[in-house]
Amino acid sequence: MSEVLFDSGEHKVLLFSDMVAGDAGVQCTQFFIYHDHHAAMFDPGGQLTFQPLQMAMNRICPMKELDYVVASHQDPDIISSLDRWLMYSNAQILISRLWERFLPHLVPDYMDHQGESRIIAIPDQGMDIQLGDSIIKALPAHFLHSVGNFSFYDPLSRILFSGDVGASILNGEPADPVEDFAAHLPRMQGFHERYMGSNRACRLWANMVRGLDVEMIVPQHGRPFVGKTIINQFLDWFAELQCGIDLIDQSNYQLP
Ligand code: FE
């Protein structure tokens, strides 16, 4: 099932949030932009999601219109379906330069060197991804949580796809927008404290995002943040968050 987040006719933004059935794996959201016969799929996931996602996408456009499969980082729930996308589409695969050389390990021998020729490295400083006559901005999000990590901003819809930043645990509920930030916090706090690298990265990312006109933040797991008020609450919290190496001491490094 897909949800339309933005539709101006020529430019559509959709998300798919219920492709992983039951408790087969953690709930994941895939993000999709279609602009005048040019498509990009963000964080398509693994083998669990490939087939339902392909079917959902085919209702919007043919596979041959998929220009890019874009990965925020290297994890199994992000890009482990790489071999399928290489086989069934002509899309280029975009990922951090830190992971470009590792991804071909997901590509079987019989696909020759497709992994190398179709995987494009995103430089550390980010880039503009050309999608037809529109652009999508790949924004640095390193150490949040992966060492080579990106968020993606669509200036036409003003939607920020933030990957694991802002991710929350759903417990089977629908991925409705967050309404009460304080009530939502317990679903995010523990995850961010353990998975995010350090406050320094959180604060620098939040500062960068404040320079953009953002209407919606869509994380890869859980509920989105819609509207300036809740987005600012989220950025204020994230910029102050102590996490990762901020919280460790010798007690975390004892011989087991
Ligand atoms: Fe991850």
Side-chain angles (χ1 to χ4, degrees):
M1 244 202 15
S2 61
E3 186 184 340
V4 179
L5 300 181
F6 180 89
D7 188 353
S8 69
E10 187 188 48
H11 191 80
K12 294 179 173 44
V13 181
L14 289 92
L15 60 79
F16 309 98
S17 57
D18 57 359
M19 294 291 171
V20 182
D23 53 7
V26 67
Q27 180 275 337
C28 291
T29 297
Q30 297 83 34
F31 189 70
F32 181 74
I33 300 181
Y34 187 58
H35 181 88
D36 189 24
H37 301 284
H38 296 272
M41 182 72 78
F42 296 78
D43 289 357
Q47 306 301 338
L48 284 175
T49 46
F50 177 78
Q51 212 182 12
L53 199 54
Q54 184 199 24
M55 285 161 61
M57 200 189 92
N58 275 334
R59 284 183 217 114
I60 303 153
C61 71
M63 197 60 132
K64 67 176 174 13
E65 293 187 343
L66 185 68
D67 289 3
Y68 306 108
V69 170
V70 188
S72 60
H73 61 290
Q74 80 292 0
D75 275 349
D77 60 326
I78 301 293
I79 191 65
S80 59
S81 55
L82 173 67
D83 57 332
R84 307 275 191 106
W85 294 100
L86 286 174
M87 186 180 297
Y88 295 109
S89 81
N90 296 315
Q92 291 185 307
I93 316 299
L94 295 180
I95 193 163
S96 158
R97 69 173 185 90
L98 269 68
W99 300 119
E100 175 209 8
R101 304 282 299 150
F102 292 82
L103 273 201
H105 285 269
L106 291 170
V107 183
D109 280 356
Y110 60 82
M111 295 183 70
D112 287 337
H113 297 290
Q114 296 229 40
E116 284 147 53
S117 58
R118 288 170 61 192
I119 298 174
I120 311 290
I122 305 176
D124 274 351
Q125 69 270 26
M127 64 188 277
D128 285 348
I129 302 166
Q130 193 76 42
L131 187 66
D133 63 3
S134 76
I135 58 126
I136 311 298
K137 287 193 169 294
L139 307 173
H142 310 308
F143 304 102
L144 303 171
H145 63 93
S146 173
V147 292
N149 198 62
F150 289 93
S151 312
F152 301 96
Y153 177 67
D154 172 26
L156 288 176
S157 65
R158 294 180 292 164
I159 297 172
L160 176 69
F161 184 62
S162 58
D164 281 321
V165 175
S168 56
I169 312 298
L170 272 183
N171 290 330
E173 302 121 298
D176 295 333
V178 176
E179 276 168 16
D180 180 340
F181 188 77
H184 183 66
L185 255 184
R187 297 158 190 264
M188 297 199 295
Q189 187 92 25
F191 171 79
H192 285 75
E193 284 174 355
R194 183 64 181 88
Y195 279 77
M196 298 293 139
S198 91
N199 174 260
R200 189 181 179 91
C202 301
R203 184 164 36 84
L204 297 174
W205 185 90
N207 286 345
M208 174 188 68
V209 169
R210 287 188 217 277
L212 292 168
D213 181 11
V214 181
E215 264 311 311
M216 192 183 305
I217 294 181
V218 180
Q220 199 234 343
H221 311 279
R223 302 168 73 173
F225 302 91
V226 181
K228 303 285 185 209
T229 308
I230 205 98
I231 287 173
N232 284 332
Q233 282 179 300
F234 171 69
L235 293 176
D236 289 348
W237 169 79
F238 193 59
E240 293 296 318
L241 180 73
Q242 297 292 303
C243 57
I245 59 171
D246 307 325
L247 300 177
I248 56 176
D249 58 28
Q250 194 66 60
S251 71
N252 302 103
Y253 293 82
Q254 298 286 327
L255 296 173

